[in-house]
Amino acid sequence: MAHILVLYYSRGGHTAQISRAIADQIIANGDQCDVVNIHDTKQKPIEWDKYQAVALGACVLYGSYHKSVFEFVSQHQQALSNIPNSFFCVNVVARNPEKRIPENNKYLQKFLTLSAWKPQDVKIIAGKVDYPSWPWYDSLMIRLIMKMTDGPTDPTAIIDYTDWEDVKTYGNHIAKLAQVEFS
C-alpha cells in the first residue's frame, strides 16, 4: 500500500474540492492519501520521506498563480523532485477541450516556465465559474475576460466545468505513479 500526498492551493475552494476527490479515488484503490493545503505546511512541516508520490494542484486567477505557489515549489523543489510527482492546474479556460492539452494551455506553460520545480507529470483540470460567491471586483473582472473569450457572463451563473470522472482517472494515475516508487 502506497502513501500519497496531495497538496493544493485554492482560492475559492474548488481546487480543494478537486484535491479531495483525487484523494478519495486514491483511497478507493486501497492506498493512503493525505490532502494538505500548502499554507498549512508552515505550521506543520511535511514529512516527505513517508510518501511514495506527490501531486500538487493550484488554481489560476487573472491568468496567474498565487505567489505562495511559487514560493512553496521553490522552497520544496528538491523534496518534490525526489519522489514520483505531478502538477495539476485548475483553470476555467480548460472548459474548451483543446485547452486541456498541456501544450495548448498558456497557464500551464506559464507555470512550467516560472517554476523552480519541473514536475515529471502534468494535468489540466477545468475549473468552476461561481460569480455569486466571488467578491464583486473578481466577478466584474472575470465577466469582462469571459466576454472577450466567449464565456459565460451572467452574474448569477454557477457553472462547474470540472469533468469529475476525469478527476477520478487522474487519482488512479497518481496511484500508479506511487507504484513506480515500489518497483
Side-chain angles (χ1 to χ4, degrees), residues 5 7 46-52 54 72 76 79-80 83:
L5 177 61
L7 293 160
I46 298 168
E47 297 176 44
W48 292 100
D49 58 341
K50 75 180 191 179
Y51 298 107
Q52 285 75 49
V54 60
F72 180 86
H76 299 285
L80 287 163
I83 57 176

Side-chain angles (χ1 to χ4, degrees), residues 139-151:
S139 180
L140 177 64
M141 293 304 295
I142 294 170
R143 284 176 43 223
L144 289 171
I145 293 167
M146 287 292 193
K147 185 170 180 68
M148 294 184 297
T149 61
D150 296 322

Side-chain angles (χ1 to χ4, degrees), residues 39-164:
H39 292 294
D40 294 339
T41 65
K42 292 175 184 171
Q43 290 81 23
K44 187 177 181 202
I46 298 168
E47 297 176 44
W48 292 100
D49 58 341
K50 75 180 191 179
Y51 298 107
Q52 285 75 49
V54 60
L56 169 63
C59 58
V60 173
L61 184 66
Y62 300 125
S64 192
Y65 301 89
H66 193 269
K67 67 179 182 173
S68 64
V69 174
F70 292 110
E71 290 168 357
F72 180 86
V73 299
S74 180
Q75 180 181 359
H76 299 285
Q77 173 185 357
Q78 190 64 49
L80 287 163
S81 298
N82 283 344
I83 57 176
N85 62 77
S86 184
F87 175 73
F88 63 97
C89 166
V90 179
N91 61 72
V92 177
V93 74
R95 70 187 183 278
N96 299 315
E98 69 275 4
K99 298 298 184 182
R100 290 182 217 139
I101 299 167
E103 297 77 25
N104 295 344
N105 189 290
K106 65 181 177 181
Y107 303 122
L108 176 63
Q109 293 304 314
K110 186 175 190 177
F111 177 83
L112 295 174
T113 299
L114 298 176
S115 173
W117 168 55
K118 303 305 178 205
Q120 71 184 52
D121 185 80
V122 294
K123 176 70 174 171
I124 301 165
I125 299 173
K128 179 179 180 180
V129 170
D130 189 355
Y131 292 124
S133 75
W134 294 340
W136 68 269
Y137 50 87
D138 284 344
S139 180
L140 177 64
M141 293 304 295
I142 294 170
R143 284 176 43 223
L144 289 171
I145 293 167
M146 287 292 193
K147 185 170 180 68
M148 294 184 297
T149 61
D150 296 322
T153 58
D154 175 356
T156 64
I158 301 172
I159 306 167
D160 186 353
Y161 292 104
T162 306
D163 179 342
W164 292 100

